Amino acid sequence: MKKDIILAGVGGQGILSIAATIGMAAIKKGWHMKQAEVHGMSQRGGDVQSNLRLSDQEVASDLIPKGQVDIILSVEPMESLRYVPMLSPTGWLITNTKPFINIPNYPEMDAIIAEIEKVPHHVLLDADQVAKDMGSPRSANIVMLGAASPYLGLTADELEGAITAIFQRKGQEIVDQNIAAFRKGRELAEAQA
Amino acid sequence: MQKLMLLGDEAIAQAGIDAGMSGIYAYPGTPSTEITEYVMHSKEARAKGVHAAWGANEKTAMEAALGMSYAGKRSMVCMKHVGLNVAADAFVNAAITGANGGLVVVVADDPSMHSSQNEQDSRFFGKFAMIPILEPANQQEAYDMVFEGFEISERHNIPVMLRITTRLAHSRSGVQPKPAKEQNAIRIPSDPRQFILLPANARRNYKKLLQNQVVFEELSDNSTFNFYKPGPDHSMGIIACGISYNYLLENYPDRKVPYPIVKVGQYPAPHNLIDQLYQECEKILILEEGYPILEESLRGFLYTGKTIHGRLDGTLPRDGELNPALVAKSLGMAVPAEVPMPSVVVPRPPSLCKGCPHIYSYNALNEALSVYAKGRVFSDIGCYTLGALDPFTAINTCVDMGASITMAKGAADAGFVPAVAVIGDSTFTHSGMTGLLDAINDKSPITVIILDNATTAMTGGQDSSGTGKIEDICQALGVDPDHIHILNPLQKHHEENMRIMKQEIEYQGVSVIIPRRECIQTLAKKKKDEKKQAEAGALN
């Protein structure tokens, strides 16, 4: 059992909170984990990614070998495509469709979506809209975690346990909002499968 | 004890706390910053009274750590690779004085230059200073090596270098901690001459350092961080240094590498193990994250021995960090065909944050300089280096910490006037003040713009040594107070800011302009923390 995940986004979008949640669930299950992050200059609005490796065996490399990525989980559509060269032929691309536009030459949305649809296994979701509709606009990342959850090798219960543990200190209301966001994301992804 | 999930940097910090370190000193620099930050935020470290402080630069940090070692306590100093250039005087001479309390020098290299201006390999510096070097392959080794580093340092009275690279510094994994040790009591060196490097003493100390080389080699020969792993296929032997060992294993899913391996984690490189490998195998492949240091020495100048594959013969690229695919290729394995990135994807370079004060400083500067020919702005290292990119293209140089002021001075001395220096507040106190003094003493006609956002922003907002003192420092160095201006870099002050810049750029002497507004990132964080505290207060 192994899952190699690339979390993608733009510096400041908070992909590391998703990584922390998945990581916590994996550790609790007794899996091994390595998670390489990007710190430094790129965090100022540049493209950022995290290599998250989960396995029931000891993990050797901190970096995922090319062509072995099982899941690209992106909180930004163009950024999801940046890591397609790393994706396994059987891998999943799961992305938020809400663009983060901080460059003058951001491509046409239609072209991005068309390119994503070329990847055989993909899930597209406007997580920002979903989160807003639920009255918790800051839960968009957890909506995306929910959307990826059927493919992570972890059960919904295990992931919800990690969400609860991570958000606990912010109060029960925040926990409930995030659990609801997670379930909604999962439901919408399953409907696309 | 339960395993901790730690970045490589954090593992080093936690190990320092557990190994009885009494103090940690550093100047922030990616990828080393998180080590000192972790200690600063650790309740455990606070309870134990571990001193954690940012120095004005890496040299002051290195010297403070050496002073703590002199007093008999364990100390750590952390920096990025180019920071070691700044600390080099203290670092190299600390090898001559030797240590008293354990002294571990952590240097984080940045191959592939993710956040740096070069990819120099600090193992060269360690070898140059002739001290033991430890190079972990994973987070657990990073933790364990801090303990061992302090032990070696105290047993042999020598500073020890712990060298990591970006990938390990910023990757998280499980670490098994050890039982904590007590801190040392204060105890000055038994030899009163040890730290007095008068030539007579220095010659004696240096001889001792030379004699100790044999001891350090023996330590490496017997180190648990160096080992020989047999393999049935002797057509090739592999030497894997530090993190490259992981990339090697990654290519064998059952972890059974057919070739014999020497894994190197402690230097001087283990002579006994490498000799055994060399004798047993037809040729050697060397995997090093960084410069081909071991490869060069194994080849020798005339390269008359067995075939050595590595970065020098093109088996691996000469530059950049390694990864599993590059190592697979070097092993002659098939790698998946190159899949191109979809052409719709465009680069997304980092940029100044929305509302960043530097934006308004650069807009004013660009307009103030519009009447002159281009190429007049000497800049420095920090967030404001992003002013080199669109839409500003406002700066023309970025070399090393503090070089903006001194390069502007040199150009102005050559008659290239006006010459403008743009430097951040933290970089100014790091290495800019001395250059400003040179300019004042030499009456060089330069305009120095000190972008004061009251923090070390690029590395995540660490305290800046000169906060609240910048104009006083400039005045004390001798800048005419009439030519020191403090501006508020906001759009509504654009005309006024531009006018003052223009006026001072025309002035034929040293002038200093300080656009001052707090970094929006640290300001937002402060507000968030205040809100959190207010909420906590309301609950109580």
Side-chain angles (χ1 to χ4, degrees), chain B residues 169-356:
Chain B
H170 290 163
S171 175
R172 203 177 287 282
S173 193
V175 173
Q176 183 64 57
K178 295 178 196 270
K181 297 182 87 134
E182 289 293 319
Q183 290 180 33
N184 292 348
I186 286 186
R187 171 183 52 87
I188 64 162
S190 53
D191 174 1
R193 294 173 302 172
Q194 184 190 337
F195 282 82
I196 310 171
L197 294 185
L198 277 168
N201 296 342
R203 281 192 285 267
R204 191 190 49 127
N205 283 9
Y206 182 50
K207 277 200 183 2
K208 189 180 157 207
L209 177 63
L210 292 173
Q211 281 159 7
N212 266 335
Q213 297 306 303
V214 186
V215 178
F216 301 158
E217 281 164 21
E218 271 170 26
L219 287 177
S220 285
D221 284 350
N222 300 313
S223 168
T224 53
F225 301 122
N226 296 329
F227 55 81
Y228 183 97
K229 206 172 160 202
D233 185 351
H234 287 202
S235 64
M236 185 165 77
I238 302 172
I239 301 173
C241 303
I243 200 166
S244 72
Y245 182 64
N246 302 345
Y247 301 141
L248 174 62
L249 292 189
E250 184 67 36
N251 281 297
Y252 299 92
D254 58 358
R255 306 290 181 251
K256 288 194 182 111
V257 183
Y259 309 106
I261 305 167
V262 171
K263 187 258 185 197
V264 179
Q266 182 171 342
Y267 305 81
H271 196 273
N272 57 345
L273 305 181
I274 291 175
D275 188 51
Q276 184 188 346
L277 191 80
Y278 190 84
Q279 299 306 332
E280 283 179 7
C281 301
E282 287 168 35
K283 59 178 186 175
I284 303 289
L285 169 67
I286 305 191
L287 310 173
E288 291 179 89
E289 186 75 308
Y291 286 8
I293 297 178
L294 199 52
E295 189 180 343
E296 269 183 354
S297 67
L298 206 58
R299 269 182 171 228
F301 186 72
L302 295 174
Y303 190 25
T304 51
K306 290 181 180 174
T307 301
I308 313 272
H309 292 304
R311 287 188 185 267
L312 291 171
D313 73 339
T315 303
L316 288 159
R318 184 62 180 77
D319 63 335
E321 69 175 329
L322 299 175
N323 61 43
L326 289 173
V327 172
K329 243 186 256 174
S330 77
L331 292 162
M333 290 177 169
V335 286
E338 204 69 41
V339 177
M341 192 186 295
S343 57
V344 68
V345 180
V346 295
R348 195 190 302 256
S351 55
L352 294 174
C353 307
K354 208 171 159 220
C356 172

Side-chain angles (χ1 to χ4, degrees), chain B residues 25-104:
Chain B
Y25 298 89
Y27 182 80
T30 312
S32 70
T33 314
E34 292 82 357
I35 307 170
T36 310
E37 278 193 325
Y38 182 93
V39 178
M40 285 176 168
H41 296 149
S42 160
K43 282 187 192 138
E44 196 186 345
R46 219 169 304 144
K48 290 179 170 181
V50 178
H51 190 91
W54 299 115
N57 62 40
E58 293 84 356
K59 178 173 179 284
T60 66
M62 174 78 216
E63 289 156 350
L66 186 63
M68 192 171 268
S69 165
Y70 172 91
K73 301 256 189 181
R74 290 187 165 186
S75 65
M76 187 183 274
V77 53
C78 312
M79 62 200 79
K80 66 184 296 175
H81 57 336
V82 286
L84 185 54
N85 298 338
V86 178
D89 197 4
F91 173 74
V92 174
N93 286 310
I96 310 290
T97 62
N100 183 32
L103 174 55
V104 173

